Amino acid sequence: MNADPQASSRLAARDASLRPLDFFLAGITVGLSTGVAEVFSRLHAWYWLGRPIYRFGWNMVWTIPAADALIFGMLGLVIALPRIRWKGNRFAQVALIGLIAAGADAALLNYLNLHWIARHLLSVGVGIQLGLYLAGHSNGLQRFLRLVTVPAICLVALTAVAFRAQDMVAERRAVSRLGPPPAGAPNVLVIVLDAVRASDLSLYGYARSTTPYLDRLAASSVVFDNAISTAPWTLPSHASMFTGHYPHEMSADWEVPLDNSYPTLAEILRDRGYITAGFVANQLYGVREFGLSRGFVHYVSRKLNFGGVMETSRLSSHTSFVAVRINRRTHTYSRPGRRNAADINRNLLDWLPKQGGRPFFVFVNYFDAHEPYSPPAPYDMKFLRTEPPTRRSRDQRLTKAETQGMRDAYDGAIAYVDAQLDVLLKELERRGQLSNTLVVVTADHGEEFGEHGWVSHGNGLNLPVLHVPLLIRFPGHVPGGVRVGQRVTLRDLPATVLGMLGIVPRVSMPGRSLAGSWQSPADSSTGEASPLLSEVNRPRNSPDWYAVAKGDMHSIIVGSYHYILNGNGREELYEITADPWEMTDLARRPEARLMLEGARSALKSALGNRSASAAAGMR
C-alpha cells in the first residue's frame, strides 16, 4: 500500500528540523542515561549481592555518568557534523537508530551474563523502534533535549563539587580532633613498592642495575635479605603491615574490605597526635572502600582527572581495544587514570609544608612496577631486549619472548621507581626532615614471570611472589650498612615501628619488633619469632591453570624449607637456600618425611583457629 504523499512530506519537514546541535545533545543525554543505569546496577550489586564498590567508591554516582556522557557526546558530535550538509529524514532516522542502539548496548553491559549476540540483537531492536519513533516526533525531541540536557550536566558537576567539599570538610574535622603530639616525636615514612620482588633488585644481587639509589641507601640502613610477605597480593599484605595480623585473622579478601576488628598503625599514631596521610597509586585495592585508609587524616588514592574519570564506566573498559592498538604503536601499557611515582611525590611534597610542624606518619604506595608495566622514557627502553606483549600478562598463551619482554619492562619500571624514591628522600633531606624520620622501604608482594607456569601475582605461594625487599633507616637509632640474613615476616612491621618510637598502644599490637634482629639476634627478650606464614584465598573466576584455582592455599617457612599446602590437599616442599626458585619439589622424597611432618605441625600451629580446616587437607 502506498503511503500518503502529503503525510510523508509533512513527516520529512518535521524530521528535517532536527539540527546538528540536537544530535550532540542527544548523544550527551544517551550517555547520561547509560551512566545512571550503570550506577543503579552497581548499587544493586552492592546492596543485594554484597559486591564492593571499589573502582571509584561513591564518586561513581557522578564519574560514571560523566564518562559515558563524554563518550556519547563525542559520538553525537560525529553525527552532528555531516548533519550540516545532509538534511533529509533518512539521515535523521539512521542517526537516531544508531545512537540509541549504541546506548542500549552500553546499558545492557550491566547484565554480565547476557550473551554478546543477544545483547547486540536487543540493542538493535530498541534502536530501531525508539529511533523511528523519535524521528517522527522531532519537535518534541528538541524541546526535551533543551529542557533536560543542560540541567542534567549541571547536576553531575554539582555532585562532583559536593563530593570534593565533603572530603575537605571531613579532613578539617579530623585535623581539629588531633591531640598534642609527644615532644620531639620522630616522623614515620613507610614506602611500599607495589609488586616489586626482591630477586629483581640489584640491592639483592640482581645482575641488572635496577636500584642504584637503594644500593646507596643501604649504607645508612639495615637491609633484610629474606623478608617474606604474608600474602601474594595487595589487600591482605597491606592489612598485615598495618595491623600485625595474618590474612586468616582478618576480613580483607578479594571482595571484602578490611574491617575495624583490629586497630591499624595509622589509628594508633593519629591518636598520639601524629598527622597521618596516605598517598596511594594502587587504584584497585588501595582505594578507601577497601579499608586501608582507616586512621589516615589525609588519604589520596584516586586521580580524578579526565583519564581517571574515563576509566570508571563499563563502557570505557569495553572500548579498551582502542588503547590496545595505541599501545602496540607506542610499546606501552599505559592507562589514563594511573598515578605514577612522580605524581605521588608531588602530592606528598605539596601537602607536607601545610601541616604546621606536627610529626607525620606518611604511607606511600608506588604502583609503577605493577602490571601493566609502563615506565616513562628513558626507563621504558632501559632493559628492553624484545617488544613487550600487547596481550594481558595473565594470558597463558604468552610466549617466552613475550614473557621476557614483560620482565624487561618490569625491570625498567623498578628502575624508575628507584629514581623517584631518590627524588623524594633527597627533597626531604633538603628540607631538613629526613634526619628525624624513620623510613621503611618494602613491597607488598612480588611477581612471577613464568617460573611456575603463570605470570603476575595472587595466583600461588611460591617464593617469587613472597620474597620482598625491606630496608629500615633511622639515623642515630639504626646502624648503617647492616645486612640481616634471618628470615622475617612483614607482619612484624607495625610492632617494629611502635617499638622504635617507644609507643605502647592501649590495644597490644601482635608480632615482635624486628629491632632485635640487628641489635642482638640471640636475645630471647625480643620474644618468640613470628611464624613465616603466607596465605591466599581462591578468587572468583580464577583461571584453572593457577595453583590457587584448586582452593585456598597456605604456606610456611621453617628453617630453610618452604612448605606449601594447596587447596586440593597436595603438599609441596622446597629447600629454598639451595633452590630459591623452587624448581625441585621434595615433598614425595622419603628423606624429607621428617621435615614434612614438622612443617605440617608448624602450619597447624600458625593457623590457630583455622588449623582444623587446614588439617583436613594434610596427610
Side-chain angles (χ1 to χ4, degrees):
M1 181 182 294
N2 293 330
D4 182 357
Q6 292 183 348
S8 299
S9 176
R10 288 194 299 272
L11 178 62
R14 288 200 302 271
D15 295 337
S17 66
L18 285 174
R19 299 172 184 174
L21 176 63
D22 298 323
F23 291 99
F24 176 59
L25 294 177
I28 294 176
T29 302
V30 168
L32 290 171
S33 301
T34 62
V36 170
E38 181 177 343
V39 169
F40 277 103
S41 171
R42 290 185 182 274
L43 288 174
H44 173 268
W46 165 70
Y47 187 80
W48 292 107
L49 304 179
R51 294 179 183 171
I53 304 171
Y54 69 90
R55 286 301 302 269
F56 268 67
W58 292 107
N59 278 283
M60 72 173 185
V61 301
W62 70 268
T63 59
I64 293 176
D68 285 1
L70 286 167
I71 293 172
F72 277 98
M74 289 186 285
L75 179 60
L77 186 60
V78 169
I79 296 172
L81 294 177
R83 181 61 171 175
I84 297 173
R85 180 174 179 179
W86 294 325
K87 304 291 185 181
N89 174 47
R90 186 64 62 192
F91 178 90
Q93 289 178 331
V94 172
L96 287 173
I97 288 172
L99 191 61
I100 293 168
D105 197 73
L108 290 173
L109 285 173
N110 298 306
Y111 299 92
L112 302 179
N113 295 325
L114 186 64
H115 194 280
W116 66 270
I117 295 178
R119 189 181 80 237
H120 291 333
L121 289 175
L122 284 171
S123 301
V124 170
V126 171
I128 291 172
Q129 293 297 317
L130 191 55
L132 289 176
Y133 175 81
L134 292 176
H137 298 79
S138 58
N139 290 333
L141 178 60
Q142 283 180 323
R143 288 194 297 272
F144 175 80
L145 292 174
R146 284 162 172 73
L147 287 172
V148 170
T149 308
V150 173
I153 294 172
C154 293
L155 179 61
V156 171
L158 287 173
T159 304
V161 172
F163 270 91
R164 177 57 183 154
Q166 181 185 37
D167 290 342
M168 294 174 65
V169 169
E171 182 173 331
R172 288 197 183 100
R173 287 177 178 170
V175 172
S176 68
R177 296 191 189 106
L178 293 177
N187 306 309
V188 180
L189 174 61
V190 174
I191 300 170
V192 176
L193 315 178
D194 208 303
V196 170
R197 65 185 193 178
S199 57
D200 277 42
L201 274 59
S202 52
L203 175 68
Y204 292 99
Y206 190 43
R208 290 174 167 175
S209 180
T210 52
T211 54
Y213 176 69
L214 286 179
D215 297 348
R216 298 192 302 273
L217 189 66
S220 58
S221 309
V222 169
V223 178
F224 292 82
D225 290 334
N226 294 289
I228 303 298
S229 176
T230 61
W233 65 286
T234 296
L235 185 60
S237 175
H238 278 79
S240 290
M241 288 188 279
F242 287 176
T243 67
H245 286 270
Y246 290 109
H248 72 270
E249 299 173 317
M250 299 179 293
S251 61
D253 207 353
W254 296 103
E255 295 185 354
V256 183
L258 174 67
D259 62 22
N260 59 0
S261 296
Y262 305 109
T264 66
L265 182 61
E267 287 177 315
I268 292 170
L269 294 180
R270 179 202 61 194
D271 293 344
R272 292 300 181 104
Y274 276 73
I275 186 78
T276 55
F279 299 90
V280 183
N282 187 323
Q283 297 184 49
L284 300 173
Y285 287 98
V287 296
R288 284 181 179 273
E289 288 67 33
F290 272 105
L292 296 182
S293 63
R294 193 152 47 85
F296 290 104
V297 172
H298 181 78
Y299 195 83
V300 181
S301 60
R302 295 190 172 97
K303 191 174 184 178
L304 292 179
N305 60 359
F306 174 80
V309 170
M310 291 300 291
E311 274 198 322
T312 61
S313 75
R314 286 196 177 101
L315 174 62
S316 58
S317 66
H318 277 71
T319 57
S320 59
F321 67 91
V322 176
V324 169
R325 282 158 177 76
I326 294 172
N327 289 344
R328 283 177 179 170
R329 293 185 176 275
T330 59
H331 305 291
T332 64
Y333 302 85
S334 58
R335 293 177 61 183
R338 186 165 175 154
R339 304 176 72 215
N340 62 26
D343 293 330
I344 296 293
N345 287 351
R346 191 178 308 111
N347 293 160
L348 166 56
L349 295 171
D350 288 346
W351 170 85
L352 205 52
K354 305 170 186 176
Q355 307 316 310
R358 279 184 177 272
F360 61 78
F361 168 49
V362 168
F363 158 55
V364 169
N365 171 280
Y366 289 135
F367 198 64
D368 304 83
H370 190 288
E371 62 170 330
Y373 319 113
S374 181
Y379 300 95
D380 56 340
M381 304 299 292
K382 185 175 178 65
F383 302 111
L384 200 64
R385 295 184 297 184
T386 182
E387 183 174 324
T390 53
R391 291 180 294 197
R392 284 181 54 82
S393 66
R394 295 170 184 254
D395 194 331
Q396 194 182 27
R397 300 169 297 167
L398 291 172
T399 65
K400 288 185 178 180
E402 288 177 318
T403 303
Q404 183 59 51
M406 261 183 189
R407 189 171 180 184
D408 294 341
Y410 176 73
D411 288 346
I414 291 174
Y416 167 69
V417 170
D418 180 78
Q420 289 300 315
L421 184 58
D422 184 8
V423 170
L424 175 63
L425 296 188
K426 279 185 177 175
E427 178 58 24
L428 292 177
E429 185 175 29
R430 187 191 68 81
R431 297 181 181 185
Q433 294 176 302
L434 195 59
S435 60
N436 192 36
T437 298
L438 167 59
V439 178
V440 177
V441 181
T442 188
D444 54 346
H445 57 79
E447 202 82 333
E448 291 248 20
F449 289 96
E451 293 88 359
H452 298 93
W454 46 78
V455 177
S456 189
H457 55 270
N459 34 35
L461 288 176
N462 290 102
L463 208 56
V465 292
L466 300 180
H467 183 201
V468 294
L470 177 59
L471 296 84
I472 298 180
R473 182 187 188 275
F474 194 11
H477 302 269
V478 171
V482 173
R483 309 282 299 217
V484 174
Q486 71 182 88
R487 292 186 174 87
V488 300
T489 172
L490 295 189
R491 177 250 192 154
D492 288 336
L493 275 185
T496 302
V497 170
L498 293 177
M500 297 183 70
L501 298 179
I503 293 177
V504 179
R506 288 190 293 271
V507 178
S508 62
M509 182 70 69
R512 64 159 192 163
S513 173
L514 296 177
S517 61
W518 70 77
Q519 292 172 349
S520 177
D523 186 355
S524 61
S525 66
T526 58
E528 184 180 353
S530 296
L532 302 174
L533 174 69
S534 302
E535 306 171 81
V536 60
N537 290 340
R538 182 180 184 271
R540 289 192 309 129
N541 304 320
S542 178
D544 58 9
W545 67 86
Y546 284 3
V548 76
K550 301 174 182 66
D552 299 351
M553 299 178 66
H554 311 277
S555 83
I556 195 165
I557 296 176
V558 180
S560 62
Y561 288 88
H562 186 201
Y563 171 75
I564 301 174
L565 177 62
N566 290 272
N568 61 357
R570 187 173 73 87
E571 298 171 298
E572 301 173 57
L573 186 69
Y574 302 96
E575 205 292 312
I576 55 178
T577 300
D579 180 23
W581 293 104
E582 299 180 326
M583 296 291 105
T584 304
D585 185 1
L586 306 175
R588 274 156 288 283
R589 295 190 178 183
E591 62 270 24
R593 182 176 59 84
L594 290 178
M595 189 62 240
L596 201 59
E597 291 177 356
R600 290 171 188 160
S601 176
L603 180 60
K604 287 181 182 180
S605 175
L607 288 174
N609 293 334
R610 286 281 296 271
S611 62
S613 59
M618 298 184 183
R619 299 174 185 172

